[in-house]
Amino acid sequence: MTNIAICAPATPITREQAAALEELVAAEYPAHRVTFHEQCFERSGHFAGDDLRRLTALLECSNDPAFDVVWFAKGGYGSNRIAEAAVAQMNRAARAKTYVGFSDAGYLLGALYRAGIGQSVHGSMPVSARSEGGREAIRRVLNWLSGDTSGVEPSVDGTTPAAAFNLITLAMMSGTPMMPDLTGHVLMVEEVAEHLYSVDRLFFHLAATLPRLAGLRLGAITDVPENYVEFGQSEEEIAQFWCARAGIPYLGRALIGHNSANRVVPFGLASPPAQT
C-alpha cells in the first residue's frame, strides 16, 4: 500500500475535486490510498490558509512516517512563500518521500531537490481529477507510483539527469536559496497564460543565469493571450534563439505543460518507487 498525503501549499481546491480523485483511486488503484489534509479546503484571501497554516500542513504531511508520498493538490501562487522554511524543518521521514506537483509547486520541488530531500517529480495534480483529460494525466502519476514508467516524458532516458519547471517559476527561483544546481541536466520548461514577449523576457533572464546544461527541451506554451501586435517569433523560435545565445543545446519539444498531455518527469536519475 502506498500512502499518499495531499496538501495545498499555494491555493485551495474544492471538496468535489478531492472526491473525484478519491473515486478514481478507489476504482482503479487499490494499492494506493490518498488522504487529503483539511487545509486543502481552507481559504485566506488568494491562499489555502495563511502562510503558517500552509507551512504547518506541509510539514505534517512530510514529517509523518505513515505517508510515502506528498502530492501537492494544486498550483496557483504561494509555494515560494513557505518553501525555505519547510525544507529547514523537514525530518528523517521527509527525506524518504516522493514529492509530486508542477507549476507553482516547482518552488518546492526545486528547494527539495537542492537540499537532497526525497524525490522531486514533475507531475499533474489532484485538482485535475474532474475532467477526462485531467484523469488521464493523473493516471500517469499514479501509474508511475505503481512502477509503470509508460507515462514518463519520452526523452527521459535514465542516463542524463532531468528536471522540469514552469518557466516563470524557474525564472523567479533563479538566484534564490531555493534554486537547485542543474549543471549537466536536461531542463524542460513550459508556460501558460503569458504573452510571447513575456516568454522571451523569461528566457532572456534564464539565459544569463542557468549553469552549463546538457540541453533544454520546450514543453507546451498554452493559453497565450492575444497581443495588439504579433511578436514575430514562435515559442520554439524564442527558445532556440536564447539557447543559441547562451550556448545551450536545444533538444526539441517535451510533453509537459498545463494540458492533458502533461507527462511525468522525475528529477535527477530516478526510477519509480519500490513497491512493498
Side-chain angles (χ1 to χ4, degrees):
M1 176 69 69
T2 301
N3 289 314
I4 304 170
I6 300 173
C7 61
T11 58
I13 62 170
T14 66
R15 294 190 185 276
E16 292 76 16
Q17 289 164 333
L21 180 72
E22 290 170 337
E23 291 168 7
L24 173 64
V25 172
E28 301 182 24
Y29 296 92
H32 296 332
R33 179 169 57 201
V34 294
T35 302
F36 282 88
H37 196 291
E38 189 64 23
Q39 170 268 331
C40 291
F41 314 111
E42 298 178 14
R43 183 178 292 276
S44 177
H46 169 88
F47 303 108
D50 63 23
D51 288 357
L52 179 59
R53 177 61 170 151
R54 300 195 322 281
L55 172 62
T56 300
L58 173 57
L59 288 172
E60 287 174 352
C61 293
S62 301
N63 289 343
D64 188 339
F67 295 116
D68 307 297
V69 177
V70 176
W71 201 356
F72 305 127
K74 185 183 176 183
Y77 169 74
S79 299
N80 59 309
R81 294 167 63 114
I82 65 171
E84 289 182 68
V87 166
Q89 298 177 65
M90 286 184 175
N91 65 12
R92 183 184 298 272
R95 293 182 172 273
K97 286 183 172 54
T98 299
Y99 298 86
V100 185
F102 81 113
S103 193
D104 178 84
Y107 292 112
L108 282 165
L109 298 179
L112 290 162
Y113 191 50
R114 173 179 175 135
I117 296 175
Q119 172 63 62
S120 292
V121 180
H122 165 106
S124 294
M125 295 177 286
V127 68
S128 300
R130 296 185 72 187
S131 71
E132 184 52 44
R135 285 190 291 274
E136 282 302 308
I138 285 171
R139 287 185 182 103
R140 295 186 190 108
V141 173
L142 293 167
N143 289 342
W144 187 82
L145 291 171
S146 303
D148 179 354
T149 61
S150 62
V152 172
E153 209 291 318
S155 67
V156 174
D157 60 9
T159 62
T160 305
F165 290 97
N166 171 258
L167 189 59
I168 196 167
T169 299
L170 182 63
M172 294 301 100
M173 187 165 50
S174 177
T176 75
M178 292 177 279
M179 183 69 179
D181 182 4
L182 298 177
T183 302
H185 286 60
V186 171
L187 173 64
M188 306 177 201
V189 292
E190 54 81 27
E191 190 52 88
V192 60
E194 294 287 343
H195 289 88
L196 287 180
Y197 66 77
S198 179
V199 172
D200 187 80
R201 181 167 55 207
L202 294 168
F203 268 110
F204 155 74
H205 174 68
L206 288 169
T209 58
L210 287 172
R212 186 175 296 278
L213 300 174
L216 181 138
R217 288 188 177 274
L218 180 67
I221 307 294
T222 53
D223 298 335
V224 177
E226 184 176 349
N227 198 28
Y228 73 97
V229 63
E230 291 291 331
F231 182 69
Q233 286 183 314
S234 69
E235 64 266 28
E236 187 161 25
E237 289 170 336
I238 291 169
Q240 291 169 331
F241 174 85
W242 288 107
C243 281
R245 284 274 292 265
I248 297 170
Y250 178 74
L251 304 177
R253 303 305 295 256
L255 291 174
I256 65 167
H258 282 69
N259 55 28
S260 60
N262 191 32
R263 300 298 183 93
V264 173
V265 180
F267 283 33
L269 297 171
S271 300
Q275 299 302 298
T276 59

